[in-house]
Amino acid sequence: MVQDESEHRVYTLYQQGRTWLANGNPHGAAAALEEALAQQEANDQPDKASLHEALGRAYFASSQIQRARAEFERALALDPSNDYAHYSIGRCYERQGRLGDAAKHFKIA
């Protein structure tokens, strides 16, 4: 029962973060998604690429490029076939002026 409640809490925070991101509030989204990851870890739930990808999007939208790239890399580590994570890592490198590194990820995506 406790596991179900904690999973529901993580999912609710994830959905809230995605909604705030879609509504142009990347800082609110990041706060909700950071809390979702903290809850997930505290309750020994499996790490989810979707949470890291969403948090990466929130960081990217709020110009926290290094933090965004770290989240996209974590999402990619959890799901190596995640084309969006490759694309997003490429965008992070592009924003940092590292076009060669960006091109590698764009090619994979």
Side-chain angles (χ1 to χ4, degrees):
M1 180 94 158
V2 173
Q3 186 70 13
D4 289 341
E5 289 174 21
S6 64
E7 287 177 4
H8 179 71
R9 175 82 174 131
V10 168
Y11 183 73
T12 299
L13 287 164
Y14 169 71
Q15 290 294 10
Q16 183 179 41
R18 290 190 59 201
T19 298
W20 283 349
L21 190 57
N23 291 331
N25 183 353
H27 295 288
L33 295 163
E34 288 167 349
E35 179 61 24
L37 283 171
Q39 291 283 322
Q40 177 182 272
E41 185 176 305
N43 292 295
D44 293 323
Q45 296 173 4
D47 209 1
K48 294 183 175 61
S50 58
L51 274 173
H52 291 282
E53 183 181 300
L55 184 55
R57 289 178 54 221
Y59 286 152
F60 189 86
S62 61
S63 297
Q64 299 179 64
I65 305 305
Q66 287 182 308
R67 292 179 84 182
R69 193 179 81 225
E71 292 302 324
F72 292 129
E73 288 172 347
R74 182 68 184 138
L76 195 58
L78 292 166
D79 179 9
S81 66
N82 187 332
D83 294 339
Y84 187 79
H86 273 293
Y87 171 78
S88 298
I89 292 168
R91 291 289 319 271
C92 290
Y93 281 134
E94 185 177 58
R95 290 267 304 262
Q96 294 174 319
R98 296 173 58 182
L99 301 182
D101 291 325
K104 292 174 191 174
H105 284 279
F106 288 147
K107 185 176 181 178
I108 294 169

